[in-house]
Amino acid sequence: MIQQHLPAALRAAIVAVLVLCLPARAAEFVLTLSDGTGPVAEAVASLHGAAAGSPAATAVMDQRNSEFVPGVLPVQVGTAVSFPNSDQVQHQVYSFSTPKPFELPLYAGTPRAPVVFDKPGVVVVGCNIHDWMIGYIVVLDTPHFGKSGADGVVRLAVRPGRYTLRVWHSRLAAAHEETIEIAADGGARSLALALGPPPPDRRGSDRVRALQDRLRNLRRDD
């Protein structure tokens, strides 16, 4: 308690300092993404300008039915990502992307060591055996990020202040970027993205894929 016998000016100064020392309460920022025809899913939104914080210990990008799950994985710089293979066939996971080139030789199950993503940027992940398998790991130098769901909405809890908003999507020619101000009571923003056309389907029929995998297994057994 501030002593009442202190001069009024000194009491006011002490109160001001105490207020400044109090942690700011987080505000909720709600971002709604669309492409002009409907909600945009699988977009990564991030806010830059606050303290970095600690990254998650690990994250997971699985392989199921010859697809990466999730297909888009946002992580903070320094996160270790595990690549388990839940399929009955082997996969060979790799990336040539500058932020993190790596290769996990042909395997089933879970590799012994995860891959640490230590530089920001977008890492495109593929499989040398199944060329239609494409995944994206979006490595961010901020703890404030999220991925839009089927409703196109991303919710981020941050302290009030000025931030750089960045939005990435695999079909954007370049990531969207703008400066925004988030008030103490949060805020909402709607953003229309100019997405390019979806990529062609290179997966083929389930029957053809099963035959290809069977032939590969036979060759490995010879």
Side-chain angles (χ1 to χ4, degrees):
M1 181 180 294
I2 300 174
Q3 298 297 324
Q4 295 300 315
H5 64 268
L6 294 175
L10 181 57
R11 290 203 305 271
I14 293 174
V15 170
V17 170
L18 291 175
V19 169
L20 288 174
C21 291
L22 291 174
R25 295 181 60 185
E28 184 180 57
F29 174 66
V30 181
L31 179 65
T32 302
L33 302 171
S34 68
D35 63 357
T37 62
V40 171
E42 300 292 291
V44 176
S46 55
L47 293 172
H48 303 256
S54 300
T58 59
V60 175
M61 177 174 272
D62 202 347
Q63 296 149 77
R64 302 177 200 160
N65 193 28
S66 295
E67 292 182 353
F68 289 110
V69 181
V72 175
L73 177 65
V75 300
Q76 190 177 349
V77 169
T79 300
V81 178
S82 178
F83 294 89
N85 179 1
S86 297
D87 282 337
Q88 297 301 311
V89 298
Q90 294 183 315
H91 294 298
Q92 184 163 329
V93 179
Y94 74 97
S95 177
F96 295 135
S97 299
T98 300
K100 191 65 180 183
F102 70 95
E103 183 174 7
L104 302 176
L106 202 63
Y107 69 97
T110 302
R112 291 183 180 179
V115 179
V116 177
F117 291 80
D118 49 6
K119 294 180 181 177
V122 178
V123 179
V124 183
V125 181
C127 173
N128 273 332
I129 307 303
H130 308 94
D131 59 2
W132 64 83
M133 290 178 63
I134 300 293
Y136 301 91
I137 298 178
V138 184
V139 189
L140 301 156
D141 56 359
T142 174
H144 306 301
F145 59 84
K147 186 174 70 172
S148 61
D151 59 359
V153 174
V154 181
R155 298 178 184 273
L156 301 175
V158 294
R159 294 181 179 182
R162 177 168 292 186
Y163 294 87
T164 298
L165 168 66
R166 293 176 188 157
V167 179
W168 173 92
H169 190 276
S170 62
R171 288 162 52 197
L172 277 176
H176 172 87
E177 186 170 309
E178 65 176 285
T179 300
I180 62 171
E181 193 80 30
I182 296 180
D185 59 351
R189 171 89 164 82
S190 295
L191 184 62
L193 302 176
L195 300 183
D201 184 6
R202 298 187 299 168
R203 185 180 177 93
S205 71
D206 290 340
R207 181 179 178 183
V208 171
R209 288 188 297 103
L211 179 59
Q212 290 172 336
D213 288 331
R214 186 180 304 171
L215 290 173
R216 290 189 185 100
N217 289 331
L218 288 173
R219 286 198 296 266
R220 282 196 297 270
D221 293 338
D222 289 343

